[in-house]
Amino acid sequence: MSEISFDDFLKVDIRVGEVIRAEPYPEARKPAIKMWIDFGEEIGERKTSAQVTAHYTPEALVGKQVLAVVNFPPRQIGRFMSEVLVLGLPDENGEIVLIGPDGKVPLGGRMH
C-alpha cells in the first residue's frame, strides 16, 4: 500500500448527507438504487447510484445519514449521472454496508 500525504487526504472532501429520495435502478447492469442526498446549504442536493440492494431497500434509505465524497467529477452510470460517491464497506459476502454517523449530525459536516 502506498502512502499519501496529509495534504492529499485533505483534497478528498467527504461530507455527511441525508437520503431524501431513493428508488430502484432496474436499468443498471447490477442491481442498484438511485439516491438523492441533501448535504445542507453549502453543497445542496446531489444524486448517486449504488449497488446496495443486499442490505437496503429504497424505503429504508430515506432519512438515513451517509458519508460521501462530494468533490469527484460527475460520472455517467448507464442513463443516470452520479454526482457523489457514497462510502461503504463490504460485509462477509462482499455486499456493501453504507458508512454513516452513529447519531444525527448537521448536514454537510466534513469528515476529519
Side-chain angles (χ1 to χ4, degrees):
M1 176 177 10
S2 63
E3 292 184 354
I4 63 170
S5 71
F6 187 71
D7 288 337
D8 289 334
F9 171 73
L10 290 176
K11 291 177 186 176
V12 181
D13 194 356
I14 299 172
R15 304 284 183 122
V16 65
E18 183 174 316
V19 179
I20 57 173
R21 182 174 146 210
E23 60 187 51
Y25 188 19
E27 304 87 6
R29 277 186 268 156
K30 294 182 180 178
I33 297 174
K34 296 181 197 176
M35 291 180 265
W36 288 259
I37 304 169
D38 180 7
F39 290 96
E41 276 188 38
E42 182 183 345
I43 297 169
E45 182 181 316
R46 302 277 177 93
K47 60 186 178 178
T48 192
S49 122
Q51 297 171 359
V52 295
T53 57
H55 291 287
Y56 306 97
T57 63
E59 299 78 23
L61 286 169
V62 174
K64 183 171 183 58
Q65 288 193 324
V66 296
L67 290 177
V69 177
V70 298
N71 64 335
F72 281 154
R75 182 174 177 202
Q76 192 75 38
I77 310 287
R79 294 184 175 182
F80 190 75
M81 184 62 73
S82 182
E83 300 171 322
V84 298
L85 174 67
V86 290
L87 301 177
L89 296 166
D91 67 10
E92 62 277 355
N93 297 315
E95 301 291 346
I96 300 301
V97 176
L98 295 171
I99 298 172
D102 285 342
K104 289 282 186 183
V105 297
L107 298 181
R110 186 171 180 165
M111 189 188 84
H112 56 98

